[in-house]
Every structure is written in C-alpha cells, then in structure tokens.
Amino acid sequence: MFRSRSTSKDEQAAAAKATPDQPKQTRDPQAPKGRPTPKRSEATAQRRSLASTPANRKDAAKRSREARRADLARQREALANGDERYLPIRDKGPVRRFARDYVDARYSAMEFFLPLAVLILILSMINRGSFQVYVLFAWMVVIALLVVNALVLGLGLRSALKQRFPDENRRGAVAYGVMRTLQVRRLRLPKPQVKRGEKP
C-alpha cells in the first residue's frame, strides 16, 4: 500500500520534470489566441506577398528578366531626359552632373576627334608621292590639339569642381568630363541639359 503511493509520487515528479522539455501542445480552437488580430491591410499585404512569390525556378528567372528589362528601360529614359533617380551609378550625383554641364556648355576640339580620325584614316589609304607626309602631319596636329584641349579643360573643370563642391567626393569627375568631350554632342549620354555658352 505504501509502496504504491511512493511510486505514484515518483511518477508525478518525473512527469513534472519532463514537461518543460516537451514541446507545447497545439492550441485548442476554442481557446483564446494570445495575439491581436491583424489588420485587414496587413493581412492583404501578406496574402499579396505570398501570391507574388514565384512557384518554381523558371518563374523566378522570368520575373528576374522582366525586372531587369524594366530597369534598363528606365535607365534609357533617364539617359535621355536626365532623371537622376534612374541614371547609372557612374552618372549619378551633383558632381557628375556639374561635370557634364561644364563640358556641354563649351565648344571643344575634342568632340570632333572621331570624325577627324575617320577622315585621316581614309586619306592615309591614298598613296600619291608625298601625300602621306601631309597625312602624318595632320595626325600630329590633331593629337597636339587633343592634348592641349584636354589639359585646359581638365584644369578648368578641376578648379570649378573644387570651388563648387569643396566637401564632396570629386574622385574621377575630371576624367569623366574629359572623356565626355571625345563624344559628339548629339551622341552624348546622358543627353546635354544645357546650351552652348550657358553657365552650369
């Protein structure tokens, strides 16, 4: 008789010790939830996020391609109208915008480099006596103009950037502006936002 009571007490103690280690039982449907009911907007947003999750890898790849295509379309539009929000990283920021405007507001011999290079290349195919000497001389004149123009433009742009943005990161902005002058004005991207002679 005493043995059975001690046994039952041992079983109860063992059950009490085992209870914290065991996982919690599922909640009775009739019992209180213990958490607030979500708002309708939150529940709707959660359902939409679950519905928009791709079901397999093929759908995920398709959505990724569509998102990339939309980003490229926004970038092309931004390059045409100068919208800062969707420009590529290399063109973003007030420093790069000022460098573009500084270059676009000036006439530069460097923007005619590509047409002149094509013309001189065509002329170099003509083999008539001393004509090649003149072609070589033309190459030298063009290269000298490019070097002088790049130095003058680079120094002026560096000074203007230092004066306008003393506390900003100006790294690479001068080279960015000089390289832009090598493009014909109509073909520059982002499109020029200032007129010739206009101060940026």
Side-chain angles (χ1 to χ4, degrees):
M1 184 174 179
F2 294 104
R3 186 175 299 172
S4 62
R5 286 182 180 177
S6 63
T7 305
S8 62
K9 288 181 180 179
D10 294 339
E11 290 176 354
Q12 290 176 0
K17 290 181 180 179
T19 302
D21 299 334
Q22 293 176 352
K24 293 182 179 179
Q25 295 180 353
T26 57
R27 183 180 65 84
D28 187 356
Q30 300 298 327
K33 290 185 297 184
R35 59 180 174 83
T37 303
K39 295 181 180 179
R40 178 174 295 180
S41 59
E42 295 176 356
T44 304
Q46 186 176 6
R47 284 197 299 270
R48 286 179 179 173
S49 64
L50 291 174
S52 63
T53 304
N56 51 40
R57 186 178 296 178
K58 186 176 180 181
D59 291 341
K62 183 179 179 181
R63 291 191 182 187
S64 177
R65 286 196 301 270
E66 290 176 353
R68 190 162 53 248
R69 198 174 295 122
D71 289 341
L72 290 175
R74 282 196 295 266
Q75 276 192 8
R76 283 194 297 270
E77 187 176 354
L79 289 171
N81 58 26
D83 190 350
E84 287 280 343
R85 293 175 298 171
Y86 304 114
L87 284 176
I89 296 176
R90 68 181 180 88
D91 298 313
K92 278 187 176 181
V95 175
R96 297 298 173 100
R97 182 180 181 88
F98 179 82
R100 290 195 302 271
D101 293 344
Y102 185 91
V103 168
D104 296 336
R106 285 162 172 74
Y107 288 95
S108 173
M110 296 178 67
E111 63 184 283
F112 303 108
F113 169 70
L114 290 178
L116 286 174
V118 172
L119 177 62
I120 294 174
L121 183 63
I122 294 173
L123 292 176
S124 66
M125 298 178 184
I126 302 174
N127 292 322
R128 289 187 178 179
S130 61
F131 187 76
Q132 293 297 321
V133 176
Y134 298 112
V135 173
L136 181 60
F137 180 73
W139 265 120
M140 294 174 63
V141 170
V142 169
I143 292 174
L145 282 174
L146 289 178
V147 172
V148 172
N149 198 348
L151 287 174
V152 172
L153 182 72
L155 291 174
L157 179 56
R158 185 186 301 276
S159 176
L161 285 170
K162 189 175 180 180
Q163 184 178 0
R164 181 70 67 91
F165 305 100
D167 300 326
E168 296 283 342
N169 182 14
R170 304 183 299 272
R171 185 177 181 182
V174 175
Y176 173 79
V178 171
M179 291 301 295
R180 185 173 174 85
T181 58
L182 290 173
Q183 302 169 348
V184 180
R185 182 181 167 87
R186 291 183 181 180
L187 303 180
R188 291 174 184 171
L189 292 174
K191 294 289 186 182
Q193 302 296 313
V194 295
K195 297 178 180 179
R196 301 273 195 184
E198 183 179 349
K199 290 185 178 181

Short mmCIF file of all heavy atoms in Angstrom, two decimals, residues 1-32:
data_model
loop_
_atom_site.label_atom_id
_atom_site.label_comp_id
_atom_site.label_asym_id
_atom_site.label_seq_id
_atom_site.Cartn_x
_atom_site.Cartn_y
_atom_site.Cartn_z
N MET A 1 0.82 -1.20 0.00
CA MET A 1 0.00 0.00 0.00
C MET A 1 0.86 1.25 0.00
O MET A 1 0.65 2.17 -0.76
CB MET A 1 -0.92 -0.03 1.22
CG MET A 1 -1.90 1.13 1.27
SD MET A 1 -3.03 0.87 2.62
CE MET A 1 -3.99 2.33 2.46
N PHE A 2 1.91 1.32 0.94
CA PHE A 2 2.80 2.47 0.97
C PHE A 2 3.66 2.53 -0.29
O PHE A 2 4.02 3.57 -0.77
CB PHE A 2 3.70 2.41 2.21
CG PHE A 2 2.92 2.56 3.50
CD1 PHE A 2 2.65 1.49 4.31
CD2 PHE A 2 2.44 3.82 3.86
CE1 PHE A 2 1.92 1.66 5.47
CE2 PHE A 2 1.72 3.99 5.03
CZ PHE A 2 1.46 2.90 5.84
N ARG A 3 3.96 1.34 -0.80
CA ARG A 3 4.81 1.29 -1.99
C ARG A 3 4.10 1.91 -3.18
O ARG A 3 4.70 2.59 -4.00
CB ARG A 3 5.20 -0.15 -2.26
CG ARG A 3 6.20 -0.32 -3.40
CD ARG A 3 6.63 -1.76 -3.53
NE ARG A 3 7.29 -2.22 -2.32
CZ ARG A 3 7.64 -3.49 -2.09
NH1 ARG A 3 7.36 -4.41 -2.98
NH2 ARG A 3 8.23 -3.83 -0.97
N SER A 4 2.81 1.65 -3.34
CA SER A 4 2.08 2.20 -4.47
C SER A 4 2.02 3.72 -4.41
O SER A 4 2.10 4.41 -5.41
CB SER A 4 0.68 1.62 -4.54
OG SER A 4 -0.03 1.98 -3.36
N ARG A 5 1.86 4.32 -3.18
CA ARG A 5 1.82 5.77 -3.05
C ARG A 5 3.17 6.40 -3.42
O ARG A 5 3.24 7.40 -4.11
CB ARG A 5 1.46 6.16 -1.62
CG ARG A 5 0.00 5.94 -1.30
CD ARG A 5 -0.27 6.39 0.12
NE ARG A 5 -1.67 6.18 0.45
CZ ARG A 5 -2.19 6.43 1.65
NH1 ARG A 5 -1.41 6.90 2.62
NH2 ARG A 5 -3.47 6.21 1.89
N SER A 6 4.26 5.81 -2.95
CA SER A 6 5.57 6.34 -3.29
C SER A 6 5.84 6.25 -4.78
O SER A 6 6.43 7.13 -5.40
CB SER A 6 6.67 5.60 -2.50
OG SER A 6 6.67 4.23 -2.87
N THR A 7 5.35 5.17 -5.37
CA THR A 7 5.53 5.01 -6.82
C THR A 7 4.78 6.10 -7.58
O THR A 7 5.27 6.68 -8.54
CB THR A 7 5.07 3.61 -7.28
OG1 THR A 7 5.75 2.65 -6.52
CG2 THR A 7 5.32 3.41 -8.76
N SER A 8 3.55 6.39 -7.16
CA SER A 8 2.77 7.43 -7.85
C SER A 8 3.41 8.79 -7.68
O SER A 8 3.41 9.61 -8.60
CB SER A 8 1.34 7.45 -7.34
OG SER A 8 1.34 7.77 -5.96
N LYS A 9 4.00 9.07 -6.48
CA LYS A 9 4.67 10.33 -6.30
C LYS A 9 5.90 10.45 -7.20
O LYS A 9 6.17 11.50 -7.78
CB LYS A 9 5.10 10.48 -4.83
CG LYS A 9 3.94 10.74 -3.89
CD LYS A 9 4.45 10.90 -2.47
CE LYS A 9 3.28 11.16 -1.52
NZ LYS A 9 3.76 11.31 -0.13
N ASP A 10 6.66 9.36 -7.36
CA ASP A 10 7.82 9.38 -8.25
C ASP A 10 7.40 9.63 -9.70
O ASP A 10 8.06 10.34 -10.44
CB ASP A 10 8.58 8.05 -8.15
CG ASP A 10 9.20 7.87 -6.76
OD1 ASP A 10 9.38 8.91 -6.07
OD2 ASP A 10 9.52 6.73 -6.41
N GLU A 11 6.30 9.01 -10.10
CA GLU A 11 5.82 9.19 -11.48
C GLU A 11 5.40 10.64 -11.73
O GLU A 11 5.66 11.22 -12.78
CB GLU A 11 4.66 8.25 -11.75
CG GLU A 11 5.08 6.77 -11.83
CD GLU A 11 3.88 5.85 -12.01
OE1 GLU A 11 2.74 6.39 -11.95
OE2 GLU A 11 4.08 4.65 -12.19
N GLN A 12 4.74 11.24 -10.70
CA GLN A 12 4.33 12.64 -10.86
C GLN A 12 5.52 13.57 -10.95
O GLN A 12 5.54 14.53 -11.73
CB GLN A 12 3.44 13.05 -9.68
CG GLN A 12 2.08 12.38 -9.70
CD GLN A 12 1.26 12.73 -8.47
OE1 GLN A 12 1.74 13.48 -7.61
NE2 GLN A 12 0.05 12.19 -8.38
N ALA A 13 6.55 13.31 -10.13
CA ALA A 13 7.75 14.15 -10.17
C ALA A 13 8.46 14.02 -11.52
O ALA A 13 8.93 15.01 -12.09
CB ALA A 13 8.70 13.75 -9.04
N ALA A 14 8.52 12.79 -12.03
CA ALA A 14 9.16 12.58 -13.33
C ALA A 14 8.39 13.28 -14.44
O ALA A 14 8.95 13.86 -15.36
CB ALA A 14 9.29 11.09 -13.62
N ALA A 15 7.07 13.24 -14.35
CA ALA A 15 6.25 13.92 -15.36
C ALA A 15 6.43 15.43 -15.29
O ALA A 15 6.47 16.12 -16.31
CB ALA A 15 4.77 13.56 -15.15
N ALA A 16 6.55 15.98 -14.06
CA ALA A 16 6.76 17.43 -13.91
C ALA A 16 8.09 17.85 -14.48
O ALA A 16 8.23 18.92 -15.06
CB ALA A 16 6.67 17.81 -12.44
N LYS A 17 9.13 17.01 -14.31
CA LYS A 17 10.44 17.33 -14.87
C LYS A 17 10.45 17.24 -16.39
O LYS A 17 11.11 17.98 -17.07
CB LYS A 17 11.50 16.39 -14.30
CG LYS A 17 11.80 16.65 -12.83
CD LYS A 17 12.87 15.70 -12.34
CE LYS A 17 13.18 15.95 -10.86
NZ LYS A 17 14.21 15.00 -10.36
N ALA A 18 9.71 16.30 -16.89
CA ALA A 18 9.71 16.10 -18.35
C ALA A 18 8.87 17.14 -19.07
O ALA A 18 9.05 17.37 -20.26
CB ALA A 18 9.20 14.69 -18.69
N THR A 19 7.95 17.79 -18.38
CA THR A 19 7.04 18.73 -19.04
C THR A 19 7.75 19.92 -19.69
O THR A 19 7.46 20.27 -20.82
CB THR A 19 5.98 19.22 -18.04
OG1 THR A 19 5.28 18.10 -17.54
CG2 THR A 19 5.02 20.19 -18.70
N PRO A 20 8.73 20.58 -19.01
CA PRO A 20 9.39 21.73 -19.66
C PRO A 20 10.15 21.36 -20.91
O PRO A 20 10.30 22.18 -21.80
CB PRO A 20 10.33 22.25 -18.57
CG PRO A 20 9.76 21.74 -17.29
CD PRO A 20 9.16 20.42 -17.62
N ASP A 21 10.66 20.14 -20.99
CA ASP A 21 11.44 19.74 -22.15
C ASP A 21 10.58 19.37 -23.34
O ASP A 21 11.03 19.33 -24.46
CB ASP A 21 12.36 18.56 -21.79
CG ASP A 21 13.34 18.94 -20.69
OD1 ASP A 21 13.64 20.15 -20.60
OD2 ASP A 21 13.78 18.04 -19.96
N GLN A 22 9.30 18.99 -23.06
CA GLN A 22 8.44 18.56 -24.15
C GLN A 22 7.89 19.77 -24.90
O GLN A 22 7.69 20.84 -24.33
CB GLN A 22 7.28 17.73 -23.60
CG GLN A 22 7.74 16.38 -23.01
CD GLN A 22 6.58 15.63 -22.39
OE1 GLN A 22 5.49 16.18 -22.28
NE2 GLN A 22 6.82 14.40 -22.00
N PRO A 23 7.61 19.62 -26.21
CA PRO A 23 7.05 20.75 -26.96
C PRO A 23 5.65 21.07 -26.50
O PRO A 23 4.93 20.22 -26.00
CB PRO A 23 7.08 20.25 -28.41
CG PRO A 23 7.07 18.77 -28.30
CD PRO A 23 7.82 18.45 -27.04
N LYS A 24 5.29 22.36 -26.70
CA LYS A 24 3.95 22.78 -26.29
C LYS A 24 2.91 22.11 -27.16
O LYS A 24 3.11 21.89 -28.36
CB LYS A 24 3.83 24.30 -26.44
CG LYS A 24 4.71 25.06 -25.46
CD LYS A 24 4.50 26.54 -25.62
CE LYS A 24 5.37 27.31 -24.63
NZ LYS A 24 5.19 28.77 -24.79
N GLN A 25 1.78 21.81 -26.56
CA GLN A 25 0.70 21.18 -27.29
C GLN A 25 0.00 22.22 -28.16
O GLN A 25 0.04 23.41 -27.88
CB GLN A 25 -0.30 20.55 -26.31
CG GLN A 25 0.30 19.39 -25.50
CD GLN A 25 -0.71 18.80 -24.53
OE1 GLN A 25 -1.80 19.33 -24.38
NE2 GLN A 25 -0.34 17.70 -23.90
N THR A 26 -0.66 21.74 -29.20
CA THR A 26 -1.38 22.65 -30.09
C THR A 26 -2.53 23.30 -29.35
O THR A 26 -3.13 22.70 -28.45
CB THR A 26 -1.90 21.88 -31.31
OG1 THR A 26 -2.73 20.81 -30.86
CG2 THR A 26 -0.75 21.31 -32.12
N ARG A 27 -2.81 24.55 -29.74
CA ARG A 27 -3.87 25.30 -29.06
C ARG A 27 -5.23 24.78 -29.44
O ARG A 27 -5.50 24.43 -30.59
CB ARG A 27 -3.74 26.78 -29.46
CG ARG A 27 -4.75 27.69 -28.74
CD ARG A 27 -4.54 29.13 -29.18
NE ARG A 27 -4.85 29.28 -30.60
CZ ARG A 27 -6.08 29.46 -31.07
NH1 ARG A 27 -7.12 29.50 -30.24
NH2 ARG A 27 -6.28 29.60 -32.35
N ASP A 28 -6.08 24.70 -28.45
CA ASP A 28 -7.46 24.33 -28.69
C ASP A 28 -8.13 25.40 -29.53
O ASP A 28 -7.98 26.59 -29.24
CB ASP A 28 -8.19 24.18 -27.34
CG ASP A 28 -9.59 23.62 -27.51
OD1 ASP A 28 -10.01 23.42 -28.66
OD2 ASP A 28 -10.28 23.39 -26.50
N PRO A 29 -8.88 25.03 -30.58
CA PRO A 29 -9.52 26.06 -31.42
C PRO A 29 -10.43 26.98 -30.64
O PRO A 29 -10.64 28.13 -31.02
CB PRO A 29 -10.28 25.25 -32.46
CG PRO A 29 -9.60 23.93 -32.50
CD PRO A 29 -9.07 23.69 -31.11
N GLN A 30 -11.00 26.51 -29.55
CA GLN A 30 -11.92 27.34 -28.76
C GLN A 30 -11.17 28.24 -27.78
O GLN A 30 -11.77 29.14 -27.19
CB GLN A 30 -12.89 26.43 -27.99
CG GLN A 30 -13.73 25.54 -28.89
CD GLN A 30 -14.62 26.35 -29.81
OE1 GLN A 30 -15.08 27.42 -29.43
NE2 GLN A 30 -14.86 25.86 -31.02
N ALA A 31 -9.87 27.99 -27.55
CA ALA A 31 -9.12 28.76 -26.57
C ALA A 31 -8.75 30.12 -27.16
O ALA A 31 -8.71 30.30 -28.38
CB ALA A 31 -7.86 28.01 -26.16
N PRO A 32 -8.45 31.12 -26.30
CA PRO A 32 -8.02 32.44 -26.80
C PRO A 32 -6.72 32.34 -27.60
O PRO A 32 -5.88 31.49 -27.33
CB PRO A 32 -7.84 33.26 -25.52
CG PRO A 32 -8.60 32.54 -24.48
CD PRO A 32 -8.58 31.10 -24.84
#
